PDB file of all heavy atoms in Angstrom:
ATOM      1  N   THR S 193      44.935 -35.045 -16.677  1.00 97.00           N
ATOM      2  CA  THR S 193      46.365 -35.377 -16.650  1.00 97.00           C
ATOM      3  C   THR S 193      46.989 -35.112 -15.284  1.00 97.00           C
ATOM      4  O   THR S 193      47.751 -35.946 -14.785  1.00 97.00           O
ATOM      5  CB  THR S 193      47.147 -34.582 -17.711  1.00 97.00           C
ATOM      6  OG1 THR S 193      46.842 -33.201 -17.561  1.00 97.00           O
ATOM      7  CG2 THR S 193      46.784 -35.027 -19.106  1.00 97.00           C
ATOM      8  N   THR S 194      46.676 -33.975 -14.687  1.00 98.00           N
ATOM      9  CA  THR S 194      47.314 -33.613 -13.408  1.00 98.00           C
ATOM     10  C   THR S 194      46.522 -34.036 -12.191  1.00 98.00           C
ATOM     11  O   THR S 194      47.083 -34.199 -11.114  1.00 98.00           O
ATOM     12  CB  THR S 194      47.504 -32.088 -13.312  1.00 98.00           C
ATOM     13  OG1 THR S 194      46.218 -31.442 -13.410  1.00 98.00           O
ATOM     14  CG2 THR S 194      48.437 -31.574 -14.398  1.00 98.00           C
ATOM     15  N   ALA S 195      45.198 -34.205 -12.342  1.00 98.00           N
ATOM     16  CA  ALA S 195      44.280 -34.306 -11.202  1.00 98.00           C
ATOM     17  C   ALA S 195      44.341 -32.984 -10.428  1.00 98.00           C
ATOM     18  O   ALA S 195      45.065 -32.063 -10.814  1.00 98.00           O
ATOM     19  CB  ALA S 195      44.597 -35.494 -10.300  1.00 98.00           C
ATOM     20  N   LYS S 196      43.587 -32.885  -9.345  1.00 98.00           N
ATOM     21  CA  LYS S 196      43.611 -31.697  -8.482  1.00 98.00           C
ATOM     22  C   LYS S 196      42.907 -32.054  -7.185  1.00 98.00           C
ATOM     23  O   LYS S 196      42.204 -33.072  -7.105  1.00 98.00           O
ATOM     24  CB  LYS S 196      42.906 -30.512  -9.153  1.00 98.00           C
ATOM     25  CG  LYS S 196      41.405 -30.719  -9.349  1.00 98.00           C
ATOM     26  CD  LYS S 196      40.704 -29.438  -9.772  1.00 98.00           C
ATOM     27  CE  LYS S 196      39.209 -29.680  -9.934  1.00 98.00           C
ATOM     28  NZ  LYS S 196      38.468 -28.423 -10.198  1.00 98.00           N
ATOM     29  N   ALA S 197      43.087 -31.220  -6.177  1.00 98.00           N
ATOM     30  CA  ALA S 197      42.328 -31.409  -4.936  1.00 98.00           C
ATOM     31  C   ALA S 197      40.865 -31.087  -5.216  1.00 98.00           C
ATOM     32  O   ALA S 197      40.552 -30.273  -6.081  1.00 98.00           O
ATOM     33  CB  ALA S 197      42.875 -30.491  -3.846  1.00 98.00           C
ATOM     34  N   GLY S 198      39.978 -31.747  -4.489  1.00 97.00           N
ATOM     35  CA  GLY S 198      38.550 -31.456  -4.624  1.00 97.00           C
ATOM     36  C   GLY S 198      37.920 -31.973  -5.903  1.00 97.00           C
ATOM     37  O   GLY S 198      36.892 -31.463  -6.350  1.00 97.00           O
ATOM     38  N   MET S 199      38.504 -32.982  -6.508  1.00 97.00           N
ATOM     39  CA  MET S 199      37.923 -33.543  -7.731  1.00 97.00           C
ATOM     40  C   MET S 199      36.592 -34.218  -7.443  1.00 97.00           C
ATOM     41  O   MET S 199      36.436 -34.891  -6.428  1.00 97.00           O
ATOM     42  CB  MET S 199      38.865 -34.579  -8.344  1.00 97.00           C
ATOM     43  CG  MET S 199      40.005 -33.997  -9.135  1.00 97.00           C
ATOM     44  SD  MET S 199      41.059 -35.309  -9.796  1.00 97.00           S
ATOM     45  CE  MET S 199      40.363 -35.486 -11.434  1.00 97.00           C
ATOM     46  N   SER S 200      35.655 -34.039  -8.359  1.00 97.00           N
ATOM     47  CA  SER S 200      34.373 -34.732  -8.240  1.00 97.00           C
ATOM     48  C   SER S 200      34.563 -36.210  -8.577  1.00 97.00           C
ATOM     49  O   SER S 200      35.578 -36.598  -9.189  1.00 97.00           O
ATOM     50  CB  SER S 200      33.354 -34.125  -9.203  1.00 97.00           C
ATOM     51  OG  SER S 200      33.731 -34.393 -10.553  1.00 97.00           O
ATOM     52  N   LEU S 201      33.594 -37.016  -8.205  1.00 97.00           N
ATOM     53  CA  LEU S 201      33.622 -38.436  -8.564  1.00 97.00           C
ATOM     54  C   LEU S 201      33.689 -38.584 -10.079  1.00 97.00           C
ATOM     55  O   LEU S 201      34.423 -39.430 -10.605  1.00 97.00           O
ATOM     56  CB  LEU S 201      32.378 -39.142  -8.000  1.00 97.00           C
ATOM     57  CG  LEU S 201      32.197 -40.618  -8.361  1.00 97.00           C
ATOM     58  CD1 LEU S 201      33.389 -41.453  -7.917  1.00 97.00           C
ATOM     59  CD2 LEU S 201      30.908 -41.156  -7.724  1.00 97.00           C
ATOM     60  N   PHE S 202      32.955 -37.745 -10.794  1.00 98.00           N
ATOM     61  CA  PHE S 202      32.939 -37.787 -12.258  1.00 98.00           C
ATOM     62  C   PHE S 202      34.350 -37.566 -12.815  1.00 98.00           C
ATOM     63  O   PHE S 202      34.816 -38.297 -13.694  1.00 98.00           O
ATOM     64  CB  PHE S 202      31.978 -36.719 -12.796  1.00 98.00           C
ATOM     65  CG  PHE S 202      31.784 -36.758 -14.285  1.00 98.00           C
ATOM     66  CD1 PHE S 202      30.812 -37.574 -14.851  1.00 98.00           C
ATOM     67  CD2 PHE S 202      32.562 -35.980 -15.128  1.00 98.00           C
ATOM     68  CE1 PHE S 202      30.628 -37.622 -16.227  1.00 98.00           C
ATOM     69  CE2 PHE S 202      32.396 -36.013 -16.501  1.00 98.00           C
ATOM     70  CZ  PHE S 202      31.421 -36.837 -17.051  1.00 98.00           C
ATOM     71  N   SER S 203      35.049 -36.555 -12.287  1.00 98.00           N
ATOM     72  CA  SER S 203      36.404 -36.254 -12.759  1.00 98.00           C
ATOM     73  C   SER S 203      37.383 -37.373 -12.421  1.00 98.00           C
ATOM     74  O   SER S 203      38.272 -37.700 -13.221  1.00 98.00           O
ATOM     75  CB  SER S 203      36.888 -34.934 -12.163  1.00 98.00           C
ATOM     76  OG  SER S 203      36.192 -33.848 -12.733  1.00 98.00           O
ATOM     77  N   LYS S 204      37.227 -37.966 -11.241  1.00 98.00           N
ATOM     78  CA  LYS S 204      38.093 -39.092 -10.867  1.00 98.00           C
ATOM     79  C   LYS S 204      37.875 -40.275 -11.808  1.00 98.00           C
ATOM     80  O   LYS S 204      38.823 -40.987 -12.162  1.00 98.00           O
ATOM     81  CB  LYS S 204      37.820 -39.528  -9.429  1.00 98.00           C
ATOM     82  CG  LYS S 204      38.345 -38.571  -8.371  1.00 98.00           C
ATOM     83  CD  LYS S 204      37.987 -39.076  -6.976  1.00 98.00           C
ATOM     84  CE  LYS S 204      38.423 -38.100  -5.898  1.00 98.00           C
ATOM     85  NZ  LYS S 204      37.998 -38.539  -4.552  1.00 98.00           N
ATOM     86  N   ILE S 205      36.635 -40.479 -12.205  1.00 98.00           N
ATOM     87  CA  ILE S 205      36.324 -41.580 -13.113  1.00 98.00           C
ATOM     88  C   ILE S 205      37.023 -41.386 -14.452  1.00 98.00           C
ATOM     89  O   ILE S 205      37.619 -42.321 -15.003  1.00 98.00           O
ATOM     90  CB  ILE S 205      34.789 -41.724 -13.275  1.00 98.00           C
ATOM     91  CG1 ILE S 205      34.218 -42.454 -12.045  1.00 98.00           C
ATOM     92  CG2 ILE S 205      34.422 -42.449 -14.575  1.00 98.00           C
ATOM     93  CD1 ILE S 205      32.711 -42.474 -11.974  1.00 98.00           C
ATOM     94  N   LEU S 206      37.009 -40.172 -14.995  1.00 98.00           N
ATOM     95  CA  LEU S 206      37.709 -39.936 -16.261  1.00 98.00           C
ATOM     96  C   LEU S 206      39.216 -40.116 -16.081  1.00 98.00           C
ATOM     97  O   LEU S 206      39.874 -40.745 -16.915  1.00 98.00           O
ATOM     98  CB  LEU S 206      37.409 -38.536 -16.812  1.00 98.00           C
ATOM     99  CG  LEU S 206      38.124 -38.224 -18.138  1.00 98.00           C
ATOM    100  CD1 LEU S 206      37.705 -39.195 -19.239  1.00 98.00           C
ATOM    101  CD2 LEU S 206      37.894 -36.789 -18.572  1.00 98.00           C
ATOM    102  N   TYR S 207      39.752 -39.580 -15.002  1.00 98.00           N
ATOM    103  CA  TYR S 207      41.191 -39.702 -14.718  1.00 98.00           C
ATOM    104  C   TYR S 207      41.611 -41.177 -14.688  1.00 98.00           C
ATOM    105  O   TYR S 207      42.610 -41.571 -15.299  1.00 98.00           O
ATOM    106  CB  TYR S 207      41.487 -39.024 -13.379  1.00 98.00           C
ATOM    107  CG  TYR S 207      42.927 -39.083 -12.930  1.00 98.00           C
ATOM    108  CD1 TYR S 207      43.850 -38.128 -13.356  1.00 98.00           C
ATOM    109  CD2 TYR S 207      43.373 -40.076 -12.060  1.00 98.00           C
ATOM    110  CE1 TYR S 207      45.184 -38.172 -12.937  1.00 98.00           C
ATOM    111  CE2 TYR S 207      44.698 -40.119 -11.637  1.00 98.00           C
ATOM    112  CZ  TYR S 207      45.592 -39.170 -12.081  1.00 98.00           C
ATOM    113  OH  TYR S 207      46.897 -39.220 -11.665  1.00 98.00           O
ATOM    114  N   LEU S 208      40.831 -41.987 -13.989  1.00 98.00           N
ATOM    115  CA  LEU S 208      41.175 -43.403 -13.847  1.00 98.00           C
ATOM    116  C   LEU S 208      40.865 -44.206 -15.109  1.00 98.00           C
ATOM    117  O   LEU S 208      41.568 -45.174 -15.419  1.00 98.00           O
ATOM    118  CB  LEU S 208      40.464 -44.000 -12.627  1.00 98.00           C
ATOM    119  CG  LEU S 208      41.044 -43.506 -11.297  1.00 98.00           C
ATOM    120  CD1 LEU S 208      40.108 -43.832 -10.138  1.00 98.00           C
ATOM    121  CD2 LEU S 208      42.429 -44.098 -11.050  1.00 98.00           C
ATOM    122  N   ALA S 209      39.834 -43.807 -15.842  1.00 98.00           N
ATOM    123  CA  ALA S 209      39.545 -44.477 -17.115  1.00 98.00           C
ATOM    124  C   ALA S 209      40.699 -44.272 -18.088  1.00 98.00           C
ATOM    125  O   ALA S 209      41.104 -45.197 -18.804  1.00 98.00           O
ATOM    126  CB  ALA S 209      38.247 -43.937 -17.710  1.00 98.00           C
ATOM    127  N   ASP S 210      41.264 -43.085 -18.094  1.00 97.00           N
ATOM    128  CA  ASP S 210      42.409 -42.793 -18.948  1.00 97.00           C
ATOM    129  C   ASP S 210      43.627 -43.607 -18.512  1.00 97.00           C
ATOM    130  O   ASP S 210      44.428 -44.049 -19.333  1.00 97.00           O
ATOM    131  CB  ASP S 210      42.713 -41.295 -18.882  1.00 97.00           C
ATOM    132  CG  ASP S 210      43.806 -40.863 -19.841  1.00 97.00           C
ATOM    133  OD1 ASP S 210      43.928 -41.457 -20.927  1.00 97.00           O
ATOM    134  OD2 ASP S 210      44.539 -39.912 -19.503  1.00 97.00           O
ATOM    135  N   TYR S 211      43.740 -43.831 -17.228  1.00 96.00           N
ATOM    136  CA  TYR S 211      44.875 -44.563 -16.650  1.00 96.00           C
ATOM    137  C   TYR S 211      44.787 -46.071 -16.904  1.00 96.00           C
ATOM    138  O   TYR S 211      45.812 -46.753 -16.969  1.00 96.00           O
ATOM    139  CB  TYR S 211      44.899 -44.311 -15.139  1.00 96.00           C
ATOM    140  CG  TYR S 211      46.233 -43.872 -14.611  1.00 96.00           C
ATOM    141  CD1 TYR S 211      46.557 -42.522 -14.517  1.00 96.00           C
ATOM    142  CD2 TYR S 211      47.198 -44.798 -14.194  1.00 96.00           C
ATOM    143  CE1 TYR S 211      47.791 -42.109 -14.027  1.00 96.00           C
ATOM    144  CE2 TYR S 211      48.432 -44.393 -13.703  1.00 96.00           C
ATOM    145  CZ  TYR S 211      48.722 -43.055 -13.628  1.00 96.00           C
ATOM    146  OH  TYR S 211      49.941 -42.655 -13.158  1.00 96.00           O
ATOM    147  N   THR S 212      43.555 -46.580 -17.023  1.00 96.00           N
ATOM    148  CA  THR S 212      43.376 -48.042 -17.009  1.00 96.00           C
ATOM    149  C   THR S 212      42.660 -48.606 -18.233  1.00 96.00           C
ATOM    150  O   THR S 212      42.312 -49.783 -18.246  1.00 96.00           O
ATOM    151  CB  THR S 212      42.578 -48.470 -15.751  1.00 96.00           C
ATOM    152  OG1 THR S 212      41.288 -47.844 -15.779  1.00 96.00           O
ATOM    153  CG2 THR S 212      43.304 -48.070 -14.476  1.00 96.00           C
ATOM    154  N   SER S 213      42.423 -47.783 -19.251  1.00 95.00           N
ATOM    155  CA  SER S 213      41.706 -48.269 -20.434  1.00 95.00           C
ATOM    156  C   SER S 213      42.427 -49.480 -21.026  1.00 95.00           C
ATOM    157  O   SER S 213      43.629 -49.673 -20.816  1.00 95.00           O
ATOM    158  CB  SER S 213      41.574 -47.157 -21.478  1.00 95.00           C
ATOM    159  OG  SER S 213      42.844 -46.664 -21.859  1.00 95.00           O
ATOM    160  N   LEU S 214      41.685 -50.286 -21.767  1.00 90.00           N
ATOM    161  CA  LEU S 214      42.196 -51.584 -22.228  1.00 90.00           C
ATOM    162  C   LEU S 214      43.451 -51.487 -23.090  1.00 90.00           C
ATOM    163  O   LEU S 214      44.220 -52.442 -23.177  1.00 90.00           O
ATOM    164  CB  LEU S 214      41.098 -52.335 -23.002  1.00 90.00           C
ATOM    165  CG  LEU S 214      40.039 -53.030 -22.143  1.00 90.00           C
ATOM    166  CD1 LEU S 214      38.976 -53.658 -23.018  1.00 90.00           C
ATOM    167  CD2 LEU S 214      40.684 -54.086 -21.240  1.00 90.00           C
ATOM    168  N   ASP S 215      43.674 -50.351 -23.723  1.00 93.00           N
ATOM    169  CA  ASP S 215      44.847 -50.206 -24.581  1.00 93.00           C
ATOM    170  C   ASP S 215      46.118 -49.875 -23.803  1.00 93.00           C
ATOM    171  O   ASP S 215      47.210 -49.900 -24.353  1.00 93.00           O
ATOM    172  CB  ASP S 215      44.592 -49.120 -25.632  1.00 93.00           C
ATOM    173  CG  ASP S 215      44.332 -47.754 -24.994  1.00 93.00           C
ATOM    174  OD1 ASP S 215      43.476 -47.682 -24.100  1.00 93.00           O
ATOM    175  OD2 ASP S 215      44.990 -46.771 -25.378  1.00 93.00           O
ATOM    176  N   ARG S 216      45.994 -49.555 -22.525  1.00 93.00           N
ATOM    177  CA  ARG S 216      47.166 -49.197 -21.720  1.00 93.00           C
ATOM    178  C   ARG S 216      47.994 -50.445 -21.400  1.00 93.00           C
ATOM    179  O   ARG S 216      47.445 -51.507 -21.096  1.00 93.00           O
ATOM    180  CB  ARG S 216      46.730 -48.539 -20.412  1.00 93.00           C
ATOM    181  CG  ARG S 216      46.067 -47.185 -20.579  1.00 93.00           C
ATOM    182  CD  ARG S 216      47.032 -46.141 -21.086  1.00 93.00           C
ATOM    183  NE  ARG S 216      46.553 -44.785 -20.837  1.00 93.00           N
ATOM    184  CZ  ARG S 216      47.089 -43.708 -21.389  1.00 93.00           C
ATOM    185  NH1 ARG S 216      48.096 -43.824 -22.228  1.00 93.00           N
ATOM    186  NH2 ARG S 216      46.607 -42.506 -21.115  1.00 93.00           N
ATOM    187  N   ASP S 217      49.331 -50.287 -21.410  1.00 91.00           N
ATOM    188  CA  ASP S 217      50.179 -51.467 -21.156  1.00 91.00           C
ATOM    189  C   ASP S 217      51.448 -51.128 -20.372  1.00 91.00           C
ATOM    190  O   ASP S 217      52.461 -51.812 -20.500  1.00 91.00           O
ATOM    191  CB  ASP S 217      50.550 -52.150 -22.477  1.00 91.00           C
ATOM    192  CG  ASP S 217      51.375 -51.242 -23.393  1.00 91.00           C
ATOM    193  OD1 ASP S 217      51.579 -50.056 -23.044  1.00 91.00           O
ATOM    194  OD2 ASP S 217      51.825 -51.722 -24.446  1.00 91.00           O
ATOM    195  N   TYR S 218      51.403 -50.080 -19.534  1.00 86.00           N
ATOM    196  CA  TYR S 218      52.578 -49.759 -18.723  1.00 86.00           C
ATOM    197  C   TYR S 218      52.719 -50.781 -17.585  1.00 86.00           C
ATOM    198  O   TYR S 218      51.816 -51.593 -17.332  1.00 86.00           O
ATOM    199  CB  TYR S 218      52.488 -48.326 -18.179  1.00 86.00           C
ATOM    200  CG  TYR S 218      51.250 -48.036 -17.372  1.00 86.00           C
ATOM    201  CD1 TYR S 218      51.219 -48.238 -15.993  1.00 86.00           C
ATOM    202  CD2 TYR S 218      50.096 -47.553 -17.986  1.00 86.00           C
ATOM    203  CE1 TYR S 218      50.074 -47.988 -15.253  1.00 86.00           C
ATOM    204  CE2 TYR S 218      48.948 -47.294 -17.252  1.00 86.00           C
ATOM    205  CZ  TYR S 218      48.945 -47.514 -15.888  1.00 86.00           C
ATOM    206  OH  TYR S 218      47.804 -47.268 -15.156  1.00 86.00           O
TER     207      TYR S 218
END
Side-chain angles (χ1 to χ4, degrees):
T193 52
T194 59
K196 66 169 181 174
M199 280 179 95
S200 67
L201 176 58
F202 185 87
S203 289
K204 287 178 183 176
I205 281 171
L206 180 61
Y207 179 86
L208 288 166
D210 186 32
Y211 231 91
T212 60
S213 58
L214 281 177
D215 61 309
R216 293 293 199 192
D217 62 355
Y218 57 90

